[in-house]
Amino acid sequence: MLRSIFGKGKKKGGKSTAQDDSIRAAKVGDVVSISGLRLEYDDLYFFIEKIDRYATDNETWYELLCVEGENQVWIDWSDGYELAITATDDPDPVGLGSIGTTEEELIQLDEEHSIDNYIEVEGEKYYYRNSAEVLFYQDNRGQGEGFYNWDLVQEDGEHVLSITKWEGKPFEATFSEVIAQDRIVLYKGDRGDAGKGRNR
């Protein structure tokens, strides 16, 4: 869900240090706490069950499925000029009709590629940030499966709308919240095979 949402698309050179304890260092089996997404989550510790990778020609990002009992949170992070993180506990997509846009409008956004353009959802403006063909690597493995993606950011900069189109499937729109990196704490855990997360 997280691509160039702050208008910065190039990856930062170099690698994270060995002492990195941010979300960048997360592995399956680790544990995270997240504050501010929902009040009831502030005191919970989520087990990282699954990590998927996404890539375009100039950017890579990761999606973590984090589980605590019946609670599930998806955290996306991308390390461009700065570490950018989004999270959601409601991954169920909605159709284009639910967000008041059309395929033709998305094509226009893609062709014009202008951050001045936006779509309006329930009175809130979501500004275009990027669109591109993406490869999805389930469990960070394999050859990758392609889809097309549009990213838009709410005017307040705190929420992201991602719209995806997989071959043979309808358009899907999902919403997530921008999370400051100091709202997530990573704890090293048992980095074994934690099983499967959601399927596509």
Side-chain angles (χ1 to χ4, degrees):
M1 302 175 204
L2 182 63
R3 269 70 55 196
S4 306
I5 61 171
F6 303 113
K8 301 173 180 180
K10 298 289 186 179
K11 289 186 69 180
K12 181 167 56 180
K15 296 183 179 180
S16 299
T17 68
Q19 301 299 316
D20 190 1
D21 60 356
S22 72
I23 199 67
R24 297 181 187 94
K27 304 290 184 185
V28 170
D30 287 348
V31 174
V32 295
S33 64
I34 180 170
S35 61
L37 184 63
R38 285 185 184 269
L39 183 62
E40 58 265 36
Y41 294 165
D42 285 359
D43 297 322
L44 299 183
Y45 294 89
F46 289 86
F47 180 78
I48 299 176
E49 184 179 274
K50 179 180 173 66
I51 300 178
D52 298 322
R53 176 167 59 96
Y54 297 80
T56 65
D57 288 341
N58 63 4
E59 190 172 9
T60 298
W61 66 98
Y62 298 87
E63 178 184 65
L64 285 60
L65 169 59
C66 306
V67 178
E68 191 283 332
E70 296 298 316
N71 299 302
Q72 295 185 336
V73 171
W74 284 263
I75 298 174
D76 281 30
W77 70 268
S78 174
D79 196 11
Y81 286 102
E82 61 186 32
L83 178 61
I85 305 169
T86 63
T88 182
D89 64 350
D90 183 15
D92 293 332
V94 298
L96 296 187
S98 297
I99 60 172
T101 191
T102 64
E103 180 176 353
E104 290 71 23
E105 288 177 319
L106 291 178
I107 291 172
Q108 183 177 354
L109 288 175
D110 186 53
E111 291 176 345
E112 295 183 0
H113 213 65
S114 170
I115 61 174
D116 292 327
N117 290 341
Y118 63 88
I119 63 174
E120 194 165 326
V121 182
E122 296 182 351
E124 299 287 347
K125 293 179 179 178
Y126 285 80
Y127 283 86
Y128 174 88
R129 282 297 176 264
N130 195 30
S131 55
E133 186 174 355
V134 179
L135 285 175
F136 165 69
Y137 299 88
Q138 184 165 318
D139 298 313
N140 198 12
R141 300 172 184 167
Q143 298 299 311
E145 182 181 358
F147 67 96
Y148 210 82
N149 182 85
W150 289 257
D151 275 321
L152 303 98
V153 179
Q154 193 176 16
E155 194 168 12
D156 63 9
E158 295 181 359
H159 296 86
V160 175
L161 167 61
S162 294
I163 303 170
T164 59
K165 179 63 174 74
W166 297 76
E167 185 175 357
K169 296 183 179 181
F171 286 86
E172 298 180 339
T174 55
F175 294 87
S176 57
E177 182 177 337
V178 175
I179 301 292
Q181 64 183 87
D182 61 2
R183 288 166 57 188
I184 295 180
V185 180
L186 176 69
Y187 304 90
K188 298 297 187 292
D190 179 11
R191 296 181 168 193
D193 184 1
K196 297 180 179 179
R198 59 176 162 152
N199 296 318
R200 292 197 178 265

